[in-house]
Amino acid sequence: MNLYQLSIAAALSFFSLGIQAQTWTPPPPEMRCPSKWGADDERGAANLQQPVQVLKAASLIRTGEVIEIGRVLESSMPLFGTRKFEVHTKRTGPALGSNQRRSNEELVVTELGQVGTQFDMFSHQTIGNQLYNCIDSDEIGTRNGFTKLGVERIGMLFTRGLLIDVAALKGVETLPQTYEITVGDLQAALAREGLSIQPGDAVLIHTGWGKLWGVDNAKYNSGCPGIGAPAAEWLAKQDVMLIGADNFPVEVAPNPDKAISLPVHQIALAVNGIFLLENLKLDELAAKRIHEFAFAVQPLKIKGGTGSTVAPVAIR
Ligand code: UVW
């Protein structure tokens, strides 16, 4: 083997060490319901949003620097499946009055809950027919939104944020496509920064995949590195409030186990009542090596909505 072949072999074994070809099966209803927040609960991990959580996050603000981690909404952004985003500018009428006042506005045609940097609510994903707390999605789905588990119930989340930079841990700008981030990767990246997860944290995972946003949208949407089911279950055990990433589904896609579809969506939203935050812009936090910060996000109050496009920030 020459030097080039040796380095390729070393890189392959470095990444393959993390690959867990495990399957995942949803727990039966009696093991996931009622949720730990009670049978009538609709807010899941948002219940961790208590005054003490806000004060803890506020104590992390030392310089006042605000870093935007949300994407700009525009028609040229990557869109999943058949989703669309169109802005139709409306210039409303002639100049009025002696002061010549004119107005501009726009009609935005989009799946407002599920485009751009997006916050997934529990009404977004099911196991069979059942949503979080084993609520039957057919019983609460109407032509005007869901009568339970709507995103309007969440409000402002202001909590401690952590950036887990797995790309930096591996010494790459971008993790390989379909690389499954393991529990060991998360633990090693946290240890590298001397950090540990606390209940109520917003955990954001940097894979580097976000570099493709607006640059190669087809590749961005064709699959991505991200956490697998074991890492999601481990994060859920740490009592996190939210899991986010710089890719479209937070999780590895497609799953290495070709028999299952986006299991992390079910683990987070349907089983544990933990929010997902997709399509984050994490390059600035990663470049500045900011790993702990105050995190703020407020989903739109779309009554009965399955999620919300959002503009979250990190403040340090
Ligand atoms: C799905 O709707 C499956 O995906 P996402 O939550 O990633 O938009």
Side-chain angles (χ1 to χ4, degrees):
M1 241 189 229
N2 62 30
L3 200 58
Y4 174 73
Q5 287 166 324
L6 264 176
S7 63
I8 297 287
L12 283 175
S13 67
F14 181 57
F15 281 108
S16 65
L17 278 177
I19 292 175
Q20 300 168 329
Q22 296 181 26
T23 193
W24 181 80
T25 309
E30 60 276 16
M31 287 192 63
R32 59 178 198 270
C33 306
S35 84
K36 68 177 170 190
W37 305 107
D40 296 329
D41 179 65
E42 297 181 49
R43 283 173 48 79
N47 286 297
L48 294 163
Q49 180 68 65
Q50 297 296 328
V52 67
Q53 207 65 25
V54 175
L55 294 175
K56 188 167 78 177
S59 74
L60 297 171
I61 302 177
R62 298 192 182 97
T63 69
E65 184 182 6
V66 177
I67 295 160
E68 294 201 41
I69 54 176
R71 296 286 183 182
V72 173
L73 296 170
E74 53 191 325
S75 59
S76 59
M77 66 186 169
L79 291 161
F80 185 75
T82 59
R83 291 175 193 164
K84 60 168 76 169
F85 182 83
E86 293 171 9
V87 177
H88 300 274
T89 304
K90 291 172 71 183
R91 311 204 65 194
T92 53
L96 296 176
S98 60
N99 51 335
Q100 295 279 291
R101 187 183 65 79
R102 294 183 64 180
S103 300
N104 299 315
E105 60 193 43
E106 56 283 309
L107 171 70
V108 181
V109 180
T110 191
E111 288 82 350
L112 192 56
Q114 299 290 336
V115 295
T117 299
Q118 64 199 251
F119 179 97
D120 280 350
M121 181 53 193
F122 311 141
S123 45
H124 181 43
Q125 297 283 305
T126 69
I127 296 173
N129 219 25
Q130 292 183 333
L131 296 155
Y132 170 71
N133 244 337
C134 295
I135 295 172
D136 186 322
S137 63
D138 287 343
E139 281 177 15
I140 64 164
T142 75
R143 288 288 292 266
N144 305 106
F146 288 86
T147 56
K148 289 185 177 171
L149 303 178
V151 73
E152 81 280 6
R153 295 173 193 271
I154 300 309
M156 165 65 94
L157 300 179
F158 185 77
T159 191
R160 177 177 182 249
L162 288 183
L163 179 78
I164 304 188
D165 195 342
V166 183
L169 172 76
K170 300 290 187 184
V172 296
E173 284 209 345
T174 306
L175 295 172
Q177 187 162 9
T178 72
Y179 175 72
E180 178 178 338
I181 294 171
T182 66
V183 175
D185 291 338
L186 298 180
Q187 290 171 332
L190 284 164
R192 193 167 175 256
E193 305 307 332
L195 291 168
S196 55
I197 295 174
Q198 296 168 15
D201 283 351
V203 170
L204 313 183
I205 299 164
H206 181 238
T207 69
W209 201 248
K211 287 191 186 313
L212 294 168
W213 179 275
V215 174
D216 188 343
N217 290 348
K219 183 160 185 196
Y220 182 87
N221 274 335
S222 68
C224 62
I227 56 172
E233 289 191 317
W234 181 76
L235 287 169
K237 279 203 190 85
Q238 314 304 306
D239 260 346
V240 299
M241 190 185 290
L242 170 155
I243 310 170
D246 56 345
N247 59 18
F248 66 91
V250 176
E251 61 190 287
V252 60
N255 195 277
D257 178 353
K258 299 287 176 283
I260 55 177
S261 168
L262 299 185
V264 173
H265 271 61
Q266 293 176 315
I267 292 168
L269 301 169
V271 178
N272 289 290
I274 292 170
F275 307 103
L276 293 177
L277 190 52
E278 300 163 331
N279 296 325
L280 283 164
K281 181 184 173 305
L282 298 178
D283 55 343
E284 189 176 347
L285 285 182
K288 293 181 173 172
R289 303 193 51 141
I290 302 171
H291 298 101
E292 188 185 26
F293 42 85
F295 166 89
V297 68
Q298 182 165 22
L300 296 170
K301 292 198 166 293
I302 306 169
K303 193 164 169 61
T306 64
S308 167
T309 193
V310 284
V313 293
I315 313 169
R316 69 161 166 173

